[in-house]
Amino acid sequence: MRRPFSLIALFLLSLPGAVLAQVDSRTASLSKQLGKGTDPKQRSQAALGLGASDDPEALKPLCDGLKDSSEQVRAASAQALGKLKELAGLECLKARKSETDAAARTAIQTSLQVLQDLKARAPKLYVQLGGVKDKTGQLRPEVVKVTEARMRRKLTQVGALLAPAKESKAAAQGVLRKHGIHGYRLQTEIHPTESGGLKVKVVCIGYPDQALLGDVEVQASGAKPEELLKVLAPRIIEDAADTFEWDT
């Protein structure tokens, strides 16, 4: 049974600021090490760390790593792209299919297969993400953009096929019939909280029929806005999946 409208899935997500900050600083540190480190072994370790980061911002440095002067680093970067499972990595892996080093070429082919299989898997639901609105009026545009990217990444991980921003009702209904799945539109807002933190609210609407289904909210405080949102973005999708029973 679907939960009632206006359900607050989580009143307060309380995480120490140091833990939240680590989400941001670790990716930045590893990216710098991969791009500027002098030791190929350390650069390779940085690439593997980025692959395990579950951070969409790891994509660009890993794609750059495919062009490293060291075949060891190129192989590690290719392997990491398969581990990261960011579908946008397909493009940069395909661009390096002519890799001359055997180990790096094998890693590229393996990760290509992983991402192609991920892209080809049968979807569990169809989701149109209707953007992310900053209701605080204080967030930098790039922070909002990263928040949306993390939500999209998490939606892919829970088995969602993402709908284009502009799609006719007939086209959407055709996708739903083809896959035998349900469609949802998510409207997301970021609000300030009285404690100085942030609240992410998602309203879930049937897609493309526009039937209002309910909403979920998650909150956090104790760190910079960009650090809070990097935790809250995937969490709101997890809670929405549970609330609206997307796995059934």
Side-chain angles (χ1 to χ4, degrees), residues 67-248:
K67 306 171 187 176
D68 196 276
S69 59
S70 166
E71 61 272 13
Q72 179 184 1
V73 178
R74 297 198 300 273
S77 297
Q79 180 182 344
L81 283 165
K83 179 70 173 179
L84 185 65
K85 294 183 179 178
E86 189 72 21
L87 289 180
L90 278 168
E91 186 175 341
C92 61
L93 284 167
K94 289 178 180 178
R96 302 297 298 181
K97 289 176 72 174
S98 59
E99 167 65 52
T100 56
D101 178 73
R105 185 168 61 252
T106 297
I108 288 171
Q109 292 170 345
T110 300
S111 289
L112 270 172
Q113 190 62 55
V114 168
L115 295 183
Q116 287 168 345
D117 289 347
L118 180 63
K119 185 176 181 180
R121 70 180 179 178
K124 295 181 179 179
L125 65 157
Y126 195 43
V127 176
Q128 185 183 73
L129 187 57
V132 177
K133 295 183 179 180
D134 171 25
K135 293 296 186 176
T136 72
Q138 299 179 351
L139 298 175
R140 301 193 309 275
E142 59 267 27
V143 172
V144 178
K145 184 177 180 180
V146 167
T147 301
E148 183 171 348
R150 282 181 164 264
M151 292 179 68
R152 289 183 179 277
R153 172 174 171 76
K154 194 64 183 180
L155 282 166
T156 300
Q157 290 177 338
V158 300
L161 176 63
L162 300 180
K166 295 182 179 180
E167 182 179 45
S168 69
K169 184 174 182 178
Q173 289 173 332
V175 173
L176 298 179
R177 285 195 300 269
K178 176 182 177 181
H179 296 286
I181 54 179
H182 296 291
Y184 305 91
R185 174 177 169 81
L186 305 184
Q187 297 179 342
T188 307
E189 296 180 349
I190 304 171
H191 296 266
T193 66
E194 293 182 358
S195 62
L198 292 175
K199 175 178 70 177
V200 177
K201 177 180 179 179
V202 163
V203 176
C204 186
I205 302 170
Y207 180 76
D209 59 11
Q210 304 297 310
L212 184 60
L213 301 176
D215 64 70
V216 291
E217 299 178 0
V218 292
Q219 302 182 34
S221 59
K224 295 179 180 179
E226 55 268 28
E227 294 159 359
L228 295 174
L229 289 169
K230 285 186 176 184
V231 173
L232 292 175
R235 184 61 182 267
I236 192 70
I237 298 301
E238 290 173 354
D239 283 5
D242 178 62
T243 300
F244 302 110
E245 301 175 348
W246 287 347
D247 60 343
T248 60

